Amino acid sequence: MGLAVLGIWAINFEYPRVVSEHGLWDFGAFIASGRAAASGLDPYGIYPPLTPHVVFPGFEAWNPNLNPPISAILFQLFDIADHATSLRVWWVISLFCYLGAVLLLLRRYSGGLEAVLLGVWAFALAGFWDTLYLGQIYTPLVLATVAAWLLLDRGRYVQAGILIGLLVSMKPNFLVWPVLLFLAAHWRPVVAAAVTAAVVAAVPLAVFGPQIYLDWLALVASDGERAIFLTNASFAGLASRAGLPLLGTVLGAVLLLSLAAWSFWRRPQPMDVSSFALLAALLASPLGWIHYTLFLLPVLFHHWRSPWTWPVAVALTMPVPLVLADFGKPALTQLTTGSIYAWSLVLLLVGLMAQQRCNPTLNAAGRSSNSPFA
């Protein structure tokens, strides 16, 4: 009940911010990218005033489109109507996709009054409201993730793999998911994901040629300066705020290599693999924005009755403006309260590891699937 009360407060805090006249933000970058692609220009360039310029104490950066080349085709749809209308239509689409994802999870994992309370919490998440505020594209991908998760749970591997392939096509950091499934010998969803991703990747290659991939990779490689931003919940974000940026790379590599070894040697069940894979896709990524925590909804619902889930759930409802208020404050403040999203993911990782150690599941070969860090 307390979490629902917190959720109602967060919704009341966030709603006026989102519906106010606040500009296009990331949605503007998407429009600029699609318009540039349609005009034969670089879809990964900076085009003021559509490309947003972010300024905080001690931080300044442009926010161009960072999505893979298929986005340069899809984002042309955002430029059909006037920008305000397009943004409102996208909000409606985003809301319905998110509602669908939440309802699917509630149907699978909850019921009665508990479902109502969990539903309130899900719609209070900071990542959800900031996704709407920025005009971001996450909620359709969250719906695909939830559907893929539930299909894996039911043994419908090909359909799940297709959805995973679509997710990876737009957010490549989630490549961790099919890779770990492959190492755990769950090959059918991986084959379907690989074929789907290859088909999607071939479309911009045919339309624009290979140069668009070179432009995209160059932009992604040059984007390290934004790791320190307080809504980056990855190891890289934590390490940058601690003044040790290389440590983030080391921690991410250790996490991925440990999970790879665990998957290969222990052959855990698909849902165990998926829980760690979705979390690792955020923690090991150079940029694991608060919006990416929406992709952890199936993990949190699946483990809802575990005691470590509750503090994570509370932390992820903290509104983004309250966290960003720590910009310009002492480094220790930015590393502690200013990094609440990142620390919540670290707690989630520790909780998953502890649960694997205390309650190992039995894999297909009949062996115990212990913690990847045992």
Side-chain angles (χ1 to χ4, degrees):
M1 182 64 73
L3 191 59
V5 172
L6 175 64
I8 292 171
W9 169 81
I11 292 170
N12 185 62
F13 181 97
E14 292 277 27
Y15 179 78
R17 179 174 77 102
V18 171
V19 299
S20 65
E21 293 293 333
H22 58 267
L24 297 173
W25 287 97
D26 290 358
F27 194 76
F30 301 154
I31 293 173
S33 179
R35 180 178 295 179
S39 303
L41 301 175
D42 179 11
Y44 296 106
I46 295 173
Y47 301 99
L50 286 172
T51 305
H53 189 217
V54 180
V55 180
F56 282 90
F59 180 87
E60 181 177 357
W62 290 94
N63 277 4
N65 173 33
L66 285 171
N67 292 290
I70 188 63
S71 67
I73 298 174
L74 299 176
F75 290 163
Q76 294 178 40
L77 298 174
F78 291 156
D79 204 23
I80 293 176
D82 69 271
H83 300 163
T85 300
S86 291
L87 179 57
R88 291 190 185 95
V89 170
W90 186 245
W91 278 352
V92 172
I93 294 172
S94 297
L95 281 167
F96 274 101
C97 287
Y98 192 69
L99 176 63
V102 172
L103 289 177
L104 285 172
L105 289 171
L106 290 175
R107 181 181 178 186
R108 171 64 179 84
Y109 292 111
S110 188
L113 178 60
E114 182 188 60
V116 175
L117 299 178
L118 286 176
V120 171
W121 164 77
F123 274 90
L125 288 171
F128 168 68
W129 287 101
D130 212 53
T131 289
L132 294 182
Y133 182 85
L134 297 176
Q136 265 287 355
I137 62 171
Y138 295 106
T139 63
L141 299 174
V142 170
L143 177 58
T145 301
V146 168
W149 172 284
L150 295 175
L151 287 168
L152 277 178
D153 196 23
R154 297 172 185 172
R156 298 171 63 179
Y157 297 127
V158 174
Q159 297 94 321
I162 292 172
L163 292 174
I164 293 172
L166 292 175
L167 172 64
V168 170
S169 297
M170 285 300 293
K171 299 296 176 184
N173 50 315
F174 286 99
L175 184 63
V176 177
W177 196 0
V179 168
L180 292 185
L181 286 172
F182 175 79
L183 291 173
H186 305 297
W187 298 320
R188 279 187 291 169
V190 177
V191 171
V195 171
T196 302
V199 170
V200 172
V203 174
L205 190 64
V207 173
F208 302 112
Q211 184 60 43
I212 193 170
Y213 277 95
L214 297 177
D215 293 339
W216 171 58
L217 292 173
L219 176 62
V220 171
S222 67
D223 199 48
E225 64 181 17
R226 291 202 294 162
I228 200 171
F229 201 72
L230 294 183
T231 56
N232 180 17
S234 69
F235 281 144
L238 272 176
S240 295
R241 291 188 283 276
L244 302 167
L246 182 60
L247 180 61
T249 303
V250 172
L251 290 174
V254 169
L255 175 61
L256 293 177
L257 290 173
S258 298
L259 289 174
W262 169 68
S263 298
F264 182 77
W265 291 108
R266 297 295 184 179
R267 299 292 198 267
Q269 293 287 352
M271 307 321 296
D272 295 327
V273 174
S274 298
S275 291
F276 279 104
L278 290 173
L279 180 57
L282 276 68
L283 281 173
S285 174
L287 298 174
W289 301 123
I290 177 60
H291 320 92
Y292 282 110
T293 61
L294 300 181
F295 293 92
L296 298 177
L297 277 176
V299 181
L300 293 170
F301 272 81
H302 184 67
H303 298 281
W304 186 251
R305 290 174 176 81
S306 300
W308 41 264
T309 304
W310 291 84
V312 174
V314 169
L316 296 182
T317 62
M318 292 296 102
V320 166
L322 298 184
V323 175
L324 294 184
D326 282 342
F327 258 125
K329 294 184 178 180
L332 182 60
T333 301
Q334 296 190 49
L335 184 60
T336 52
T337 58
S339 299
I340 186 172
Y341 301 141
W343 289 117
S344 71
L345 297 193
V346 172
L347 175 59
L348 181 57
L349 176 63
V350 172
L352 288 176
M353 290 164 52
Q355 182 155 312
Q356 279 288 303
R357 183 183 294 272
C358 296
N359 301 294
T361 57
L362 224 64
N363 63 27
R367 291 176 297 175
S368 176
S369 176
N370 296 314
S371 166
F373 302 95

